[in-house]
């Protein structure tokens, strides 16, 4: 069957960043696109074979082995410090970001909306220099 694609799902770059506190924070656009609320939770999955990809499973309610979605002001985050510490992420010296790509084919298997997390990083000093250059 051929169908017209819903371009709305491609109009916002879904992104999450590990904050200096170790929390995984979502941009306002991402939070809106994912329809995040504090009644939701996130489970993480890792592919132990191949590329060791990290996946985020967005679920309603609070199932076992999940992080509850938290909100501070207008921003949503997950209390992921201990998990990222265990992974050895250097979020103090680096800006560690994840681009989120929906993987609809895994939704039924994991019981929620599944997103592959593609990791990117920048040196924190380089990010400040880039922002200052753009301001000039």
């Amino acid at each position: 069957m051929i169908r017209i694609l819903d371009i709305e799902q491609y109009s916002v770059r879904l992104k999450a960043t590990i904050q200096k506190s170790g929390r995984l924070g979502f941009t306002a656009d991402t939070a809106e696109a994912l329809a995040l609320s504090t009644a939701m939770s996130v489970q993480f999955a890792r592919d132990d074979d191949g590329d060791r990809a990290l996946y985020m499973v967005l679920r309603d309610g609070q199932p076992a082995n999940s992080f509850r979605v938290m909100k501070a002001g207008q921003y949503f985050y997950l209390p992921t410090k201990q998990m990222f510490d265990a992974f050895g992420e250097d979020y103090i010296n680096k800006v560690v970001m994840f681009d989120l790509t929906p993987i609809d084919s895994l939704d039924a298997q994991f019981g929620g909306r599944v997103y592959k997390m593609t990791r990117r990083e920048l040196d924190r000093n380089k990010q400040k220099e880039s922002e200052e250059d753009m301001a000039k």
Side-chain angles (χ1 to χ4, degrees):
M1 173 197 253
I2 299 174
R3 63 184 170 83
I4 300 294
L5 297 176
D6 177 10
I7 64 166
E8 284 296 313
Q9 67 180 344
Y10 305 113
S11 62
V12 174
R13 183 177 188 178
L14 303 177
K15 186 175 93 168
T17 303
I18 305 174
Q19 301 166 350
K20 276 189 172 182
S21 63
R23 297 173 174 176
L24 185 66
F26 299 93
T27 64
D29 288 341
T30 298
E32 183 177 332
L34 297 179
L36 291 180
S37 79
T38 56
M40 303 170 106
S41 62
V42 172
Q43 292 177 309
F44 290 92
R46 182 172 249 168
D47 184 355
D48 289 331
D49 300 324
D51 64 358
R52 295 190 46 82
L54 188 62
Y55 296 86
M56 179 179 90
V57 183
L58 188 59
R59 308 216 17 206
D60 290 323
Q62 184 71 41
N65 294 318
S66 66
F67 292 99
R68 191 172 67 149
V69 174
M70 310 292 279
K71 188 174 182 184
Q74 295 186 17
Y75 295 97
F76 289 92
Y77 69 92
L78 301 172
T80 50
K81 180 182 182 349
Q82 290 179 325
M83 181 181 80
F84 288 126
D85 286 349
F87 289 174
E89 290 289 358
D90 183 10
Y91 50 83
I92 301 295
N93 298 306
K94 306 278 184 187
V95 176
V96 181
M97 298 165 275
F98 297 96
D99 293 322
L100 307 175
T101 306
I103 309 294
D104 299 335
S105 62
L106 295 176
D107 289 358
Q109 178 182 346
F110 288 97
R113 291 181 286 158
V114 179
Y115 298 85
K116 183 174 183 179
M117 301 175 71
T118 304
R119 187 183 182 284
R120 294 184 294 135
E121 78 173 38
L122 294 170
D123 184 71
R124 284 210 183 266
N125 294 331
K126 296 268 187 222
Q127 182 193 28
K128 284 183 183 177
E129 290 171 12
S130 296
E131 289 172 356
E132 288 170 0
D133 288 343
M134 288 169 49
K136 291 180 182 178

